Amino acid sequence: MRQNTPRHFLDIHLLGTDTLRGILDTAHAMKRSGKRTPEKFRPSDIENTVLVMIFEKPSTRTRVSFDVGMRQLGGQTVMLNHTDLQLGRGETVADTARVLSRYADAIMLRANDHQTLLEFSENSSIPLINGLTDYSHPCQIMADIVTYEESKGPISGSTIAWVGDGNNVATSWMHAAVKFDFELRIGCPKKLSPAKEVVAWVKKHNGRVSISDSAREAVAGADCVVTDTWVSMGQKDARLRKALLAPYAVTQELMQAADPDAIFMHCLPAYRGNEVTTDVLEGPQSVVFDEAENRLHAQKAILSWCLGAGLSG
Ligand code: CP
Ligand code: NVA
């Protein structure tokens, strides 16, 4: 379905809480019902539509969950590595977006540089979805909230601890803390603190986000402990990062500082023995594989919203 103003899903802070909550509720309901499509879904809005996916970096979960999700909704997919495109030979992002808008119905982009995503969105007349950039990973955090809520109840009013690198996934958690009104405590080395503009945005919106260099302080009494790789895709200073982040490993001992019923989340891929020990990742508090599954449910709800298939907002 062509829209006058495309419903881009670029970042959590750019959407209203009602829209975001509508997407989450749809994902929850779809998972609970065991049905492949949302309840108020209009199949005709997605039948024969095509999602083009472009990856500038590797992916397992995002790639497969979007592909499977789109097929379950009744649409089709085209999967491209950026080097398959003339983009890799110097065609502009703007021209690529304008051309693909004439063929497809929606685009999912995993970009090295967030600026590429923004430039793409300005030139795309069809919905564009952020499948991760160096700045943010909103689809992941939508799935993470589904995961939190199905195991612990509403995320509003809860306390989430982020331990480790102040990276792209942390940015989307910060956006979500404001939109869904929960406390986010970040424990990270000063040199790897979240981007200044995200901190400023949180402050402007009176978000309950604190940043300290103490993992223990961040985790104390928290309902959920989250971490991520110490070396994100495209980062070259692996040795320095590992040295800075060593005190932020999520161990069983650190988990004991959280609430006794706390859950552990990680977007995966995980590097056991670095950011998390095997006993935590494989232990009873870990919900990482539910979290991976929930990418599918959350993204089907995002696709339904983007394509206008019965979801308002
Ligand atoms: N969590 C996540 O986005 O995983 P992939 O890099 O495998 O897509
Ligand atoms: N922060 C990680 C997330 C991977 C899904 C990265 O950008 O590589």
Side-chain angles (χ1 to χ4, degrees):
M1 187 176 73
R2 294 268 156 180
Q3 299 150 354
N4 294 336
T5 310
R7 284 183 177 175
H8 296 318
F9 189 85
L10 300 181
D11 262 321
I12 287 173
H13 71 306
L14 299 176
L15 294 169
T17 302
D18 288 351
T19 297
L20 293 164
R21 178 40 72 190
I23 293 171
L24 290 174
D25 288 348
T26 300
H28 277 302
M30 197 168 17
K31 184 173 183 185
R32 270 197 307 266
S33 74
K35 297 208 174 105
R36 291 195 154 190
T37 53
E39 198 190 348
K40 290 183 193 147
F41 182 76
R42 290 187 303 260
S44 57
D45 289 338
I46 292 200
E47 254 162 25
N48 301 318
T49 61
V50 176
L51 172 71
V52 167
M53 287 186 265
I54 305 170
F55 287 89
E56 290 189 341
K57 319 195 208 202
S59 168
T60 298
R61 280 143 288 269
T62 306
R63 184 187 177 102
V64 179
S65 56
F66 264 110
D67 195 2
V68 170
M70 190 64 183
R71 291 170 198 231
Q72 289 187 358
L73 292 173
Q76 295 169 42
T77 58
V78 173
M79 187 91 68
L80 298 163
N81 187 296
H82 69 125
T83 52
D84 300 335
L85 296 166
Q86 296 288 6
L87 195 57
R89 295 182 61 242
E91 185 167 19
T92 66
V93 169
D95 286 356
T96 306
R98 289 158 73 191
V99 169
L100 294 181
S101 296
R102 301 289 180 105
Y103 302 142
D105 301 282
I107 298 170
M108 194 237 69
L109 174 64
R110 170 165 284 194
N112 285 316
D113 185 344
H114 195 72
Q115 200 50 42
T116 305
L117 179 91
L118 297 181
E119 206 177 327
F120 214 108
S121 73
E122 280 156 19
N123 291 281
S124 175
S125 57
I126 58 175
L128 176 68
I129 299 171
N130 176 357
L132 178 147
T133 68
D134 58 341
Y135 171 74
S136 60
H137 196 3
C139 292
Q140 179 67 54
I141 275 39
M142 294 297 275
D144 290 1
I145 296 174
V146 170
T147 311
Y148 181 89
E149 294 192 331
E150 72 185 0
S151 91
K152 308 253 326 152
I155 197 157
S156 297
S158 66
T159 303
I160 310 292
W162 173 273
V163 181
D165 188 15
N167 64 11
N168 46 2
V169 180
T171 295
S172 292
W173 269 111
M174 291 168 77
H175 290 155
V178 171
K179 291 288 174 179
F180 295 103
D181 191 26
F182 58 84
E183 183 183 352
L184 178 65
R185 294 200 216 122
I186 298 177
C188 67
K190 284 198 174 71
K191 284 192 175 144
L192 298 176
S193 273
K196 282 197 183 70
E197 71 265 27
V198 192
V199 177
W201 179 85
V202 166
K203 204 168 170 194
K204 188 172 160 201
H205 292 86
N206 302 316
R208 292 184 294 133
V209 178
S210 60
I211 303 175
S212 85
D213 60 3
S214 162
R216 190 161 279 271
E217 211 174 282
V219 163
D223 300 303
C224 173
V225 178
V226 198
T227 192
D228 186 16
T229 180
W230 288 345
V231 187
S232 284
M233 292 179 276
Q235 290 174 336
K236 299 201 186 331
D237 46 353
R239 206 191 295 178
L240 174 66
R241 296 180 148 272
K242 286 182 183 171
L244 287 170
L245 286 158
Y248 298 84
V250 179
T251 60
Q252 205 54 261
E253 196 202 342
L254 187 67
M255 284 303 291
Q256 274 159 19
D259 184 84
D261 293 325
I263 53 171
F264 171 76
M265 292 212 268
H266 187 310
C267 64
L268 304 179
Y271 299 89
R272 292 164 171 82
N274 282 348
E275 74 272 10
V276 59
T277 53
T278 300
D279 55 355
V280 171
L281 193 81
E282 303 288 355
Q285 289 169 288
S286 172
V287 292
V288 299
F289 294 103
D290 293 329
E291 190 182 353
E293 177 188 332
N294 288 335
R295 295 293 301 279
L296 178 66
H297 307 296
Q299 287 159 195
K300 283 202 294 184
I302 292 169
L303 284 165
S304 300
W305 175 77
C306 286
L307 290 163
L311 290 186
S312 57

